Amino acid sequence: MASWAALSPSIVEYFEGEDFYRCGYCKNESGSRSNGMWAHSMTVQDYQDLIDRGWRRSGKYVYKPVMNQTCCPQYTIRCRPLQFQPSKSHKKVLKKMLKFLAKGEISKGNCEDEPMEPTVEDAVSSDFGLINKLDIHCDLKTLNDDLKKSLESEEKKKAKREESNEITHSQDMEEKLGSGEPSCSVKVHTAPQPGRGADLSKPPCRKAKEIRKERKRLKLMQQNPAGEREGFQAQCQPSSLLPPKTKSNQPKSLEDLIFESLPENASHKLEVRLVPVSFEDPEFKSSFSQSFSLYVKYQMAIHQDPPDECGKTEFTRFLCSSPLETENSPNGPDCGYGSFHQQYWLDGKIIAVGVIDILPYCVSSVYLYYDPDYSFLSLGVYSALREIAFTRQLHEKTPQLSYYYMGFYIHSCPKMKYKGQYRPSDLLCPETYVWVPIEQCLPSLEKSKYCRFNQDPEAGFIHKSLKS
């Protein structure tokens, strides 16, 4: 493995002119156009600079779409993992995996081919703001004085008048309803009878049941004023406003959702291994046959490739041959920089492989293939979330490594728009090569396939594809 101080220069063979070929997205026979070059070897920093100019590799072939001419413009997209919060649909996928691992449960629906839910901000609501606004206080001293005055007035009224129809009615209601919850209000205002105005100089009328409750409460407070204070406060505060006892208003992090502990008798065991793409690596070499078989199964089932188009030569050239030199840096990640296979082992067999490049400023996703028998686990979504979490892990050791590149975003292709659901994310302006939040780009993309995202008129058009 090369050290950071002694690196070989990048060696590329640039192909003159533009390639015209069949588009894999809209199926136009000659609508896809790009520039390309063969990279015999390349430093990770050079490739980082290239993908920040709209280039991308397929094996050792590095290409860049001619954005204003190709039928389906492909915009480089990156996610910002440090600010990433999983959406509701992401959480469902993670919970589905945990249920499968813990109990062997297989959820129906939500297979890999189904569209994901639109990404929205997951609002985390709590009652604390409402509590602060209401600012409820139960002042027993004030309550005690109010009760005495109110009760004295009620006694005088009761002595001067004959049996009240209102009280009789209240007693009947009490027999029907039984005892109710204590009221927080100490003064209950009732509406005036029809045809009469409310006499504001007199205490408001109250029902006999409420009067008896307040008498009992006052008697208890006089007998044990210190002991009743705390209990009455708890009664007086509505249950909906009581602060939660154990729940936190903080949402679970991505890591909390992924690495939630499983029971000791879990039905399945999932292990994710990071393996360098090198036939000199013993782990890569020993798992090559199984990984290749999985690739063939995936290509034939998901992409309907004939057997002669997904042979060992194609697999090696496409996913096991990388121009990137593996490099180690004192301040870099422990695994070093370069190309890797992130293998997902379930109960001792590989069910998915994510091909990634670890670069100075990002983790770049290259490809994913998985066992179609496990499509119910939404492995495409799950692996992307694992790669975002992995980027965050690398960032702890290497602060400048803070982005997750998801390849190309193709707004005109519905099957490729899912990449925009990992927020926050940015698209690369095809003219000025500045990153623009995807929310600002989408309105323009709805009107035109090809767009300049940078609205700064002072920013010039960078014509040369390789110009830095």
Side-chain angles (χ1 to χ4, degrees):
M1 184 175 290
S3 66
W4 193 258
L7 298 177
S8 301
S10 297
I11 302 174
V12 299
E13 184 179 352
Y14 185 73
F15 300 143
E16 292 289 340
E18 297 172 353
D19 291 333
F20 299 83
Y21 50 91
R22 184 176 183 271
C23 178
Y25 304 107
C26 70
K27 310 306 179 185
N28 187 320
E29 290 299 328
S30 59
S32 185
R33 303 184 180 184
S34 68
N35 298 114
M37 58 184 173
W38 188 264
H40 296 275
S41 66
M42 184 173 289
T43 66
V44 291
Q45 183 60 58
D46 283 345
Y47 185 57
Q48 175 75 67
D49 294 339
L50 282 171
I51 62 174
D52 285 334
R53 292 292 182 270
W55 292 77
R56 182 165 170 78
R57 78 174 185 89
S58 174
K60 289 190 173 184
Y61 181 70
V62 186
Y63 65 99
K64 180 183 188 299
V66 182
M67 296 291 284
N68 59 351
Q69 297 181 31
T70 190
C71 55
C72 297
Q74 303 163 50
Y75 300 91
T76 302
I77 182 171
R78 72 177 186 184
C79 172
R80 287 174 259 153
L82 304 186
Q83 293 82 39
F84 176 80
Q85 284 292 338
S87 67
K88 289 182 179 179
S89 61
H90 296 154
K91 292 176 182 178
K92 287 180 181 178
V93 170
L94 295 175
K95 290 177 181 178
K96 181 166 55 177
M97 175 62 81
L98 288 172
K99 288 181 179 179
F100 173 72
L101 296 176
K103 302 178 182 179
E105 292 184 9
I106 298 177
S107 302
K108 295 181 179 179
N110 287 335
C111 292
E112 193 65 33
D113 292 335
E114 292 183 346
M116 294 167 56
E117 296 177 8
T119 298
V120 292
E121 290 292 332
D122 284 333
V124 181
S125 58
S126 66
D127 289 332
F128 292 117
L130 180 61
I131 293 172
N132 293 333
K133 287 181 181 178
L134 294 178
D135 197 19
I136 295 177
H137 297 288
C138 294
D139 190 332
L140 294 187
K141 185 177 184 303
T142 304
L143 176 66
N144 188 34
D145 294 340
D146 287 345
L147 278 174
K148 284 183 178 179
K149 293 177 182 179
S150 180
L151 290 174
E152 288 174 359
S153 175
E154 291 293 339
E155 289 294 336
K156 289 179 182 179
K157 286 177 62 180
K158 186 176 180 180
K160 290 180 181 180
R161 68 188 179 190
E162 296 179 357
E163 183 177 358
S164 171
N165 291 333
E166 181 182 358
I167 295 178
T168 304
H169 176 70
S170 298
Q171 289 173 340
D172 292 338
M173 289 297 294
E174 181 183 0
E175 292 175 1
K176 293 178 181 180
L177 299 177
S179 59
E181 292 294 324
S183 172
C184 288
S185 176
V186 294
K187 295 183 180 180
V188 179
H189 297 263
T190 57
Q193 295 180 7
R196 295 185 184 181
D199 188 352
L200 301 179
S201 64
K202 296 182 179 181
C205 296
R206 296 178 304 151
K207 293 183 179 181
K209 177 182 176 182
E210 294 162 352
I211 295 172
R212 286 196 297 274
K213 283 184 179 180
E214 289 168 1
R215 280 184 190 156
K216 184 177 180 180
R217 194 178 301 129
L218 177 61
K219 185 176 181 181
L220 289 172
M221 286 189 293
Q222 289 174 342
Q223 291 176 352
N224 189 11
E228 286 297 319
R229 183 182 182 89
E230 183 177 353
F232 180 70
Q233 282 180 326
Q235 285 183 342
C236 194
Q237 188 167 5
S239 59
S240 62
L241 298 179
L242 290 173
K245 294 180 179 179
T246 57
K247 289 187 176 180
S248 170
N249 65 329
Q250 294 296 324
K252 284 187 176 182
S253 69
L254 177 61
E255 289 76 11
D256 291 337
L257 294 167
I258 291 176
F259 302 110
E260 187 171 322
S261 59
L262 296 172
E264 293 183 1
N265 60 342
S267 299
H268 301 283
K269 179 183 178 182
L270 179 68
E271 181 184 1
V272 181
R273 302 177 188 174
L274 185 69
V275 181
V277 177
S278 171
F279 285 98
E280 296 179 1
D281 183 85
E283 195 167 0
F284 178 82
K285 193 173 180 179
S286 64
S287 61
F288 177 83
S289 179
Q290 187 178 168
S291 183
F292 167 63
S293 298
L294 178 63
Y295 165 79
V296 173
K297 185 177 182 180
Y298 171 81
Q299 292 296 126
M300 294 180 64
I302 303 299
H303 296 290
Q304 288 78 49
D305 286 356
D308 60 338
E309 291 185 9
C310 47
K312 190 170 294 186
T313 301
E314 288 76 15
F315 172 64
T316 303
R317 183 176 64 236
F318 180 33
L319 298 174
C320 302
S321 181
S322 171
L324 302 184
E325 296 184 358
T326 53
E327 302 173 12
N328 268 339
S329 168
N331 299 321
D334 294 334
C335 58
Y337 299 104
S339 298
F340 298 84
H341 281 190
Q342 203 162 40
Q343 301 173 341
Y344 294 78
W345 290 76
L346 180 69
D347 302 332
K349 74 171 184 176
I350 303 176
I351 64 165
V353 177
V355 184
I356 61 173
D357 294 329
I358 300 179
L359 304 174
Y361 305 120
C362 73
V363 169
S364 176
S365 176
V366 178
Y367 199 68
L368 172 82
Y369 53 100
Y370 59 87
D371 191 334
D373 294 341
Y374 294 90
S375 292
F376 63 88
L377 291 174
S378 302
L379 292 171
V381 179
Y382 182 78
S383 64
L385 297 173
R386 290 293 298 246
E387 288 171 6
I388 290 173
F390 180 55
T391 305
R392 286 155 63 134
Q393 177 187 338
L394 296 179
H395 172 78
E396 295 179 2
K397 169 81 185 301
T398 310
Q400 71 270 19
L401 202 164
S402 55
Y403 295 102
Y404 174 59
Y405 284 47
M406 296 177 282
F408 287 139
Y409 173 82
I410 307 172
H411 191 75
S412 58
C413 179
K415 288 186 177 181
M416 299 299 289
K417 291 171 69 173
Y418 74 91
K419 294 182 180 181
Q421 298 178 0
Y422 296 84
R423 305 282 180 93
S425 58
D426 310 301
L427 297 183
L428 186 67
C429 176
E431 295 185 7
T432 61
Y433 301 121
V434 298
W435 294 98
V436 181
I438 193 171
E439 295 85 355
Q440 299 178 24
C441 305
L442 294 180
S444 299
L445 289 172
E446 288 293 331
K447 300 176 183 178
S448 174
K449 289 183 179 180
Y450 174 75
C451 301
R452 169 188 167 124
F453 301 135
N454 187 356
Q455 301 302 317
D456 181 7
E458 299 295 327
F461 176 78
I462 302 178
H463 180 69
K464 294 296 182 181
S465 300
L466 292 175
K467 184 177 180 180
S468 60

